Amino acid sequence: MLLQGAALSLLVPGAGLQLAQAESVDVGRNSVFTKLIPAETIEKSAAAQYAQMMQQAAAQKALAGRDHPQVKRLRAIATKTIPHALSWNPRARDWNWEVNLIASKQINAFCMPGGKIAFYTGILDQLKLTDDEAATVMGHEVAHALREHARERMGKNAATGIGATLLSQVLGLGELGQTVANYGAQLLSLQFSRSDESEADLVGMELAARAGFDPRAGVSLWQKMAIASRGAPPQWLSTHPAGPTRIADIEANLPKVLPLYARSRPG
């Protein structure tokens, strides 16, 4: 599914966008390390890797078709959520958003730079996600893309790899360009920091709330994840630390987003 940025922009009137920015939760500015890597480079690499993944899934008959009930469900959630994402990152308005479902037992989901979203059937089926919980997962993953956490990670890795003496020359790419190419194939394996995860939780909760999904679902989601992690942790947990502390953080931030949810409800 392609959700063109131009089409989505029609769903967000200018006044509404300004209001969203004024009321937005405060998670600070994006890391300075994002400036070391051109956004276009990351998004192009992500689009190529995502397309390859979808082709492989299709070849294995693991890519769900557009008429699949879960695909319709996820795309409906995305249609409600994405318009509220646009104020978080000016580039998001022009992203070619995609939402796909891959048949796999993995408890996993992701949103690559440029709005490339994928869910695995395992996270929907094994956790029996409600719409609110699925929206929470999607919001969290979309938040990583909006906050450019992958770009930040790559920037830090590139800075470490090329040395401080070359940082003044990054606009000319050179060695940095090769470093980006090397990391491009590892977009899905990048490890986000705890602060990245906290940002994604908060921004994801806000996105879900504005889209009309109950942000309290974050608590039940992570309770389900904790149960699923007994024994061998599912893949989604390998880079998304959970537990009582995380649930407490979500509960502490609920007062910030519940009013948004209340206003999103009809009537």
Side-chain angles (χ1 to χ4, degrees), residues 227-246:
I227 294 173
S229 69
R230 292 173 183 171
Q235 183 176 343
W236 207 63
L237 272 181
S238 67
T239 55
H240 297 69
T245 300
R246 183 158 207 158

Side-chain angles (χ1 to χ4, degrees), residues 59-123:
Q60 298 169 2
K61 301 187 183 304
L63 184 62
R66 64 182 183 181
D67 292 328
H68 190 289
Q70 292 283 35
V71 172
K72 290 183 176 180
R73 177 190 182 206
L74 290 173
R75 292 179 177 178
I77 292 172
T79 297
K80 293 179 180 179
T81 302
I82 291 171
H84 301 286
L86 306 183
S87 63
W88 279 96
N89 187 321
R91 296 187 58 80
R93 185 173 294 275
D94 297 319
W95 286 351
N96 291 324
W97 292 85
E98 296 186 53
V99 183
N100 282 293
L101 176 65
I102 299 173
S104 169
K105 293 182 179 180
Q106 292 183 43
I107 298 179
N108 201 13
F110 63 82
C111 179
M112 299 176 77
K116 307 302 185 183
I117 301 170
F119 273 64
Y120 291 84
T121 54
I123 195 168

Side-chain angles (χ1 to χ4, degrees), residues 37-248:
I37 307 291
E40 297 87 347
T41 302
I42 298 295
E43 291 165 12
K44 183 178 180 180
S45 178
Q49 186 179 357
Y50 185 86
Q52 183 179 30
M53 289 181 64
M54 296 308 109
Q55 290 171 359
Q56 291 174 345
Q60 298 169 2
K61 301 187 183 304
L63 184 62
R66 64 182 183 181
D67 292 328
H68 190 289
Q70 292 283 35
V71 172
K72 290 183 176 180
R73 177 190 182 206
L74 290 173
R75 292 179 177 178
I77 292 172
T79 297
K80 293 179 180 179
T81 302
I82 291 171
H84 301 286
L86 306 183
S87 63
W88 279 96
N89 187 321
R91 296 187 58 80
R93 185 173 294 275
D94 297 319
W95 286 351
N96 291 324
W97 292 85
E98 296 186 53
V99 183
N100 282 293
L101 176 65
I102 299 173
S104 169
K105 293 182 179 180
Q106 292 183 43
I107 298 179
N108 201 13
F110 63 82
C111 179
M112 299 176 77
K116 307 302 185 183
I117 301 170
F119 273 64
Y120 291 84
T121 54
I123 195 168
L124 298 173
D125 297 341
Q126 295 185 48
L127 300 189
K128 302 186 186 308
L129 296 185
T130 66
D131 285 354
D132 293 323
E133 290 165 346
T136 298
V137 172
M138 187 178 293
H140 178 101
E141 296 304 327
V142 166
H144 278 307
L146 295 172
R147 297 292 293 168
E148 301 186 290
H149 291 153
R151 187 180 175 197
E152 175 189 351
R153 291 287 102 193
M154 288 186 181
K156 289 181 178 180
N157 291 342
T160 301
I162 67 177
T165 58
L166 294 177
L167 290 183
S168 62
Q169 305 172 19
V170 294
L171 292 180
L173 293 182
E175 277 190 61
L176 182 60
Q178 184 60 46
T179 302
V180 173
N182 291 339
Y183 285 125
Q186 304 172 25
L187 277 169
L188 290 180
S189 63
L190 288 172
Q191 299 289 311
F192 295 132
S193 69
R194 184 64 186 93
S195 63
D196 290 343
E197 295 298 339
S198 295
E199 283 185 11
D201 279 347
L202 185 54
V203 175
M205 287 166 59
E206 182 186 299
L207 291 176
R210 289 187 184 279
F213 298 100
D214 193 339
R216 289 168 291 196
V219 175
S220 59
L221 168 67
W222 288 107
Q223 289 172 339
K224 289 181 177 181
M225 292 297 291
I227 294 173
S229 69
R230 292 173 183 171
Q235 183 176 343
W236 207 63
L237 272 181
S238 67
T239 55
H240 297 69
T245 300
R246 183 158 207 158
I247 291 175

Side-chain angles (χ1 to χ4, degrees), residues 8-24:
L8 282 170
S9 66
L10 299 176
L11 302 177
V12 188
L17 180 59
Q18 293 175 357
L19 179 61
Q21 291 173 328
E23 294 182 337
S24 178

